């Protein structure tokens, strides 16, 4: 490996480093500062050590939010990934009018700002004026996301599925498009069943994009804030108070800056950790299959 | 196994073809014998893949019928045709082991385990992969994958035909020769009807009993390698087969003689008078270089190992000649044609000798 080595090249990286410092590192350091200190304003800080972390780790409020958060992410992944694959498999494959129409329709929810999505569903589900809420009431269904925790959960989950399944579907569709026609023809000649085609041709070829889709959906859903906040405000009670909503309440509602900073640092590390585990497990699975003997 | 009949077959990719030029495949009627080894040979875009896709059922022809034996399969889907196909690039099921890949077509047809095991063992031996059967197909090289594709194509004994779509494109040159020999052996052993699409004349001539030469959507000649060499039916065959291809000269044909820009050439047979564009063609192998005959200017000599290729001009037209091992180039070379080896072409199609 005779690559030219020139330390002056580091200067070329400086502009990016400066940008990242201003946009990410410095704000993060202020959070770190808050997490280890106690402050009463006026820029007066008192060293608190690991006190806030200790408090947060043992806080049942945080445990509740974390539990709800994990449940929420698990549910939406369990719905959006299979549904997305199913939609992708059934989209028109040839590049014609219907294919383009599908793509545009699918992309629409992705283009709507988060708080608008929230507002749409907030109004849509209202029992007094919302199309969905009123229809359900008229049909005799006792639906009210403002007072019933289960209804609130259903609303928030359906909203997320509506908003994000397209992303999974579009990524899978892209994966499917890359499969040469010869594979399908060979499968026909081999008289492979529909399931075998999916299992042995389509799924393996979609694996790469599916990994990305799962990762993106996990990270996004784990950090979800705007949409449930607009629809339910975290209620009824704390029923839909997910981690971000709880964090915002703590930081900007109660001005508990120290605990909130400790909370957000742990939050960040948890997401980083889970994403890393996800990624490692999936790439390792990939490698096992690529190399060597089976079984 | 079945005889394949192509009846008034033609295909156009346009919805409403009008002229001849709109057809990717011009109307043709051919019968391919049961158990024959055929090669479809032609340059890119000549329609050979279109023809293959019609036989495999991927395309429905614009007109005409395809029959397997006595059964009309023109509109039958691929799965019903009971054929096997090997594609240009390896198509293997990555998630399966080599063994599972080879067994897949049999397993889907509900064959019993003992038969499958025996058959897979046999094919594995043929493609030289009996020691890697439990490896996943995924990590293998393109060579190995293509061998699996070939194996999967041949694992079934009862197929009507096996189609090969330029299957050796990704294979190493030394492996190519070996696999082609194995294919040929297999053909002799099982007598499957085999159709082999290629643009490589060596592949076609060594593999097939009958070579089907295609040009511009038409089958221009179907014959044994020897027929293609000695009596090309069309100037394209003359030019496409052979290395270098046939020498073609515009000439006036009168009886036993041709007038090539003032030179009188003995044709070795009588021809009826021809109106329109006439050419005479002769293989470089039958052009003799000595100190007698017509004057020729040599522009280059290429040594290709077994023989030398002379490139020059005869009466203003380019000419190639082959100088065999041991023959020497005279100081003032002159050129002669072996009389019985000259073919006469009228509007690019060969004219048989004989008076009207």
């Amino acid at each position: 490996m005779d690559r030219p080595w020139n330390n002056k090249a580091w200067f070329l990286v400086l502009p990016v480093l400066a940008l990242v410092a201003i946009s990410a590192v410095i704000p993060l350091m202020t959070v770190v500062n808050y997490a280890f200190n106690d402050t009463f304003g006026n820029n007066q800080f008192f060293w608190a050590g690991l006190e806030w972390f200790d408090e947060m780790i043992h806080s049942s409020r945080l445990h509740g939010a974390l539990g709800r958060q994990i449940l929420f992410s698990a549910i939406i992944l369990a719905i959006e990934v299979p549904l997305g694959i199913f939609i992708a498999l059934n989209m028109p494959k040839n590049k014609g009018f219907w294919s383009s129409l599908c793509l545009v329709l699918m992309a629409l929810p992705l283009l709507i700002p988060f708080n608008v999505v929230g507002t749409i569903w907030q109004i849509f589900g209202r029992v007094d004026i919302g199309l969905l809420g009123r229809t359900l009431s008229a049909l005799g269904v006792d639906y009210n996301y403002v007072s019933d925790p289960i209804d609130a959960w259903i609303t928030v989950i359906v909203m997320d599925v509506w908003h994000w399944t397209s992303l999974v579907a579009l990524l899978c569709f892209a994966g499917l498009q890359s499969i040469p026609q010869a594979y399908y023809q060979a499968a026909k000649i081999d008289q492979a069943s529909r399931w075998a085609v999916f299992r042995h041709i389509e799924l393996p070829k979609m694996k790469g994009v599916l990994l990305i889709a799962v990762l993106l959906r996990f990270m996004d859903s784990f950090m979800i804030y705007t949409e449930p906040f607009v629809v339910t405000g975290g209620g009824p009670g704390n029923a839909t108070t997910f981690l971000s909503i709880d964090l915002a309440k703590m930081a900007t509602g109660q001005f508990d800056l120290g605990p909130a900073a400790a909370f957000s640092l742990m939050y960040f590390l948890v997401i980083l950790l889970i994403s890393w585990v996800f990624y490692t497990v999936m790439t390792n699975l990939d490698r096992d299959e690529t190399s060597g003997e089976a079984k | 196994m079945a005889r394949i009949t192509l009846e008034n077959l033609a295909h156009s990719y346009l919805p409403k073809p009008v002229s001849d030029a709109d057809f990717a495949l011009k109307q043709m009627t051919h019968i391919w014998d049961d158990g024959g080894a055929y090669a479809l040979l032609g340059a890119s875009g000549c329609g050979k893949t279109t023809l293959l896709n019609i036989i495999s059922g991927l395309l429905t022809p614009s007109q005409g019928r395809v029959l397997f034996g006595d059964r009309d399969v023109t509109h039958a889907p691929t799965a019903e045709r009971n054929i096997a196909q090997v594609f240009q690039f390896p198509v293997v099921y990555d998630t399966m082991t080599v063994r599972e890949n080879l067994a897949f077509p049999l397993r889907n047809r509900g064959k019993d385990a003992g038969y499958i095991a025996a058959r897979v063992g046999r094919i594995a031996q043929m493609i030289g992969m009996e020691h890697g059967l439990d490896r996943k197909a995924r990590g293998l090289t393109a060579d190995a994958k293509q061998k699996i594709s070939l194996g999967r194509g041949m694992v079934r004994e009862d197929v009507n035909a096996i189609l090969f779509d330029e299957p050796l494109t990704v294979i190493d040159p030394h492996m190519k020769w070996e696999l082609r020999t194995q294919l040929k052996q297999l053909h002799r052993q099982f007598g499957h009807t085999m159709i082999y699409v290629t643009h490589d004349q060596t592949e076609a001539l060594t593999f097939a009993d009958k070579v089907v030469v295609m040009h511009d959507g038409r089958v221009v000649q179907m014959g044994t390698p020897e027929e293609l060499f000695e009596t090309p039916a069309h100037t394209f065959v003359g030019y496409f087969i052979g290395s270098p291809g046939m020498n073609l000269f515009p000439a006036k044909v009168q009886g036993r003689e041709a007038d090539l820009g003032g030179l009188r050439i003995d044709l070795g047979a009588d021809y009826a008078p021809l109106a329109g564009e006439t050419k005479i063609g002769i293989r470089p192998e039958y052009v003799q270089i000595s100190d007698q005959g017509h004057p020729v200017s040599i522009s280059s000599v290429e040594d290709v190992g077994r023989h030398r290729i002379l490139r020059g001009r005869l009466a203003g037209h380019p000419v190639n000649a082959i100088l065999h091992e041991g023959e020497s180039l005279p100081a003032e070379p002159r050129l002669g044609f072996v009389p019985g080896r000259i073919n006469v072409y009228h509007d690019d199609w060969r004219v048989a000798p004989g008076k009207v």
Side-chain angles (χ1 to χ4, degrees):
Chain A
M1 288 295 170
D2 280 333
R3 296 229 179 109
W5 189 262
N6 188 344
N7 277 321
K8 280 180 202 145
W10 288 107
F11 286 109
L12 299 175
V13 191
L14 271 182
V16 172
L17 280 181
L19 272 177
V20 172
I22 292 166
S23 71
V25 180
I26 295 172
L28 192 68
M29 290 326 286
T30 53
V31 174
V32 172
N33 194 29
Y34 280 123
F36 290 96
N37 287 289
D38 198 356
T39 180
F40 305 103
N42 291 334
N43 246 355
Q44 285 183 300
F45 288 94
F46 303 93
W47 180 251
L50 293 173
E51 199 181 311
W52 302 134
F53 289 92
D54 192 51
E55 188 185 319
M56 279 298 108
I57 285 173
H58 296 102
S59 144
S60 60
R61 172 180 168 182
L62 189 137
H63 293 169
L66 182 65
R68 285 188 291 273
Q69 185 67 72
I70 291 172
L71 184 64
F72 176 76
S73 286
I75 291 177
I76 65 107
L77 279 179
I79 297 176
E80 288 175 15
V81 171
L83 186 62
I85 294 175
F86 179 78
I87 293 173
L89 288 175
N90 288 292
M91 275 169 73
K93 282 196 182 59
N94 48 343
K95 294 187 181 77
F97 172 76
W98 292 111
S99 173
S100 311
L101 186 75
C102 269
L103 288 174
V104 171
L105 286 180
M106 303 271 304
L108 274 182
L110 300 175
L111 301 176
I112 302 175
F114 293 27
N115 55 348
V116 178
V117 172
T119 311
I120 290 173
W121 281 83
Q122 203 263 346
I123 296 171
F124 189 46
R126 274 175 70 166
V127 187
D128 50 352
I129 54 166
L131 184 62
L132 176 73
R134 283 209 67 161
T135 312
L136 285 175
S137 303
L139 290 172
V141 181
D142 182 21
Y143 167 83
N144 189 341
Y145 69 80
V146 182
S147 60
D148 187 324
I150 302 287
D151 290 350
W153 265 82
I154 293 174
T155 312
V156 172
I157 286 168
V158 170
M159 173 174 64
D160 197 79
V161 168
W162 176 83
H163 194 181
W164 290 111
T165 304
S166 304
L167 179 77
V168 181
L170 290 178
L171 282 170
C172 289
F173 185 66
L176 284 175
Q177 290 291 77
S178 70
I179 302 177
Q181 201 54 41
Y183 278 82
Y184 292 107
Q185 221 203 333
K188 262 191 221 162
I189 289 169
D190 293 340
Q191 290 196 354
S193 61
R194 182 68 192 86
W195 167 250
V197 171
F198 175 70
R199 171 71 189 80
H200 296 294
I201 297 175
E202 290 168 332
L203 196 57
K205 298 272 171 191
M206 272 195 291
K207 216 155 139 196
V209 282
L210 214 50
L211 165 69
I212 294 170
V214 169
L215 246 172
L216 282 178
R217 279 320 297 134
F218 166 74
M219 291 193 303
D220 261 3
S221 67
F222 211 74
M223 300 187 288
I224 193 166
Y225 175 76
T226 316
E227 299 141 283
F229 182 76
V230 173
V231 178
T232 64
N238 272 334
T240 55
T241 300
F242 301 121
L243 286 174
S244 286
I245 297 179
D246 208 15
L247 178 60
K249 273 185 193 167
M250 199 184 287
T252 59
Q254 300 156 222
F255 272 100
D256 284 335
L257 294 182
F263 183 165
S264 49
L265 280 184
M266 289 192 290
Y267 191 5
F268 171 63
L269 290 177
V270 165
I271 292 185
L272 203 65
L273 180 74
I274 299 180
S275 299
W276 179 75
V277 169
F278 246 112
Y279 188 78
T280 315
V281 166
M282 287 176 105
T283 43
N284 272 346
L285 281 180
D286 215 37
R287 204 172 310 140
D288 283 349
E289 262 183 35
T290 315
S291 67
E293 311 294 314
K295 284 158 215 165
Chain B
M1 286 171 232
R3 185 184 71 237
I4 297 174
T5 311
L6 311 174
E7 201 179 273
N8 298 322
L9 198 69
H11 187 73
S12 171
Y13 289 102
L14 304 174
K16 279 183 189 143
V18 198
S19 71
D20 216 30
D22 290 347
F23 282 89
L25 207 62
K26 272 92 173 163
Q27 187 170 325
M28 59 174 72
T29 297
H30 287 288
I31 294 174
W32 293 354
D33 295 329
D34 183 11
Y38 291 88
L40 282 180
L41 177 65
S44 299
C46 70
K48 55 190 195 298
T49 302
T50 305
L51 183 54
L52 195 78
N53 287 342
I54 288 173
I55 295 171
S56 71
L58 192 63
L59 274 177
T60 306
S62 315
Q63 66 169 72
R65 300 200 301 162
V66 179
L67 289 97
F68 283 5
D70 295 320
R71 185 172 165 232
D72 184 346
V73 294
T74 315
H75 299 283
T78 306
E80 275 177 34
R81 297 190 180 202
N82 197 23
I83 50 157
Q85 185 163 358
V86 181
F87 299 89
Q88 188 168 6
F89 295 100
V91 177
V92 297
Y93 304 105
D94 280 341
T95 47
M96 299 186 193
T97 62
V98 176
R99 186 193 304 281
E100 287 164 337
N101 257 288
L102 294 176
F104 194 58
L106 297 175
R107 208 171 277 165
N108 288 331
R109 286 169 175 82
K111 305 279 189 210
D112 65 79
Y115 173 76
I116 295 178
R119 198 70 200 141
V120 167
R122 179 110 211 237
I123 295 293
Q125 196 184 4
M126 188 207 93
I127 56 174
M129 294 192 83
E130 63 266 55
H131 299 302
L133 277 177
D134 289 316
R135 280 182 64 108
K136 284 263 177 192
R138 181 178 188 135
L140 299 173
T141 59
D143 266 43
K145 283 187 178 182
Q146 187 65 338
K147 283 200 269 175
I148 298 173
S149 304
L150 280 167
R152 229 182 42 244
M154 279 173 303
V155 77
R156 284 154 55 210
E157 287 177 285
D158 60 343
V159 289
N160 278 325
I162 307 179
L163 314 182
F164 300 91
D165 189 358
E166 309 200 15
L168 302 182
T169 313
V170 292
I171 305 269
D172 264 4
H174 71 282
M175 246 342 261
K176 260 186 198 184
W177 188 82
E178 198 181 312
L179 278 177
R180 214 161 51 218
T181 317
Q182 278 171 349
L183 282 182
K184 186 109 186 135
Q185 260 174 18
L186 223 90
H187 175 251
R188 269 198 288 267
Q189 222 171 335
F190 296 114
H192 288 303
T193 308
M194 290 188 174
I195 300 172
Y196 190 108
V197 168
T198 178
H199 58 247
D200 180 336
Q201 52 163 315
T202 321
E203 266 181 36
L205 297 174
T206 51
F207 170 82
D209 308 330
K210 282 266 177 81
V211 178
V212 181
V213 184
M214 295 191 63
H215 176 55
D216 195 21
R218 239 182 274 273
V219 171
V220 286
Q221 189 169 9
M222 186 157 114
T224 61
E226 198 193 344
E227 285 167 347
L228 299 184
F229 186 80
E230 298 290 350
T231 51
H234 189 273
T235 51
F236 175 77
V237 182
Y239 148 84
F240 197 69
I241 307 259
S243 177
M246 186 178 244
N247 294 304
L248 287 160
F249 309 100
K252 284 197 187 72
V253 174
Q254 283 156 336
R256 260 187 86 88
E257 279 192 336
D259 176 0
L260 199 171
L263 303 174
R264 308 202 75 75
I265 311 280
D266 180 7
L267 295 175
D270 273 312
Y271 285 86
L274 299 166
E277 195 199 351
T278 50
K279 285 180 187 163
I280 58 168
I282 184 152
R283 293 275 176 202
E285 286 81 355
Y286 299 129
V287 177
Q288 294 168 321
I289 298 285
S290 62
D291 48 9
Q292 293 163 35
H294 307 292
V296 61
S297 64
I298 305 287
S299 52
S300 71
V301 180
E302 291 169 25
D303 197 330
V304 293
R306 279 168 309 161
H307 55 247
R308 281 175 289 171
I309 299 170
L310 260 56
R311 300 195 188 274
R313 287 190 163 269
L314 175 71
H317 302 288
V319 63
N320 296 320
I322 285 182
L323 204 59
H324 294 283
E325 232 172 341
E327 289 178 341
S328 59
L329 188 62
E332 268 182 51
R334 294 174 87 83
L335 159 167
F337 295 163
V338 179
R341 304 297 190 180
I342 298 173
N343 287 291
V344 173
Y345 295 93
H346 180 232
D347 292 335
D348 288 328
W349 291 94
R350 182 172 177 269
V351 183
K355 288 205 157 149
V356 178

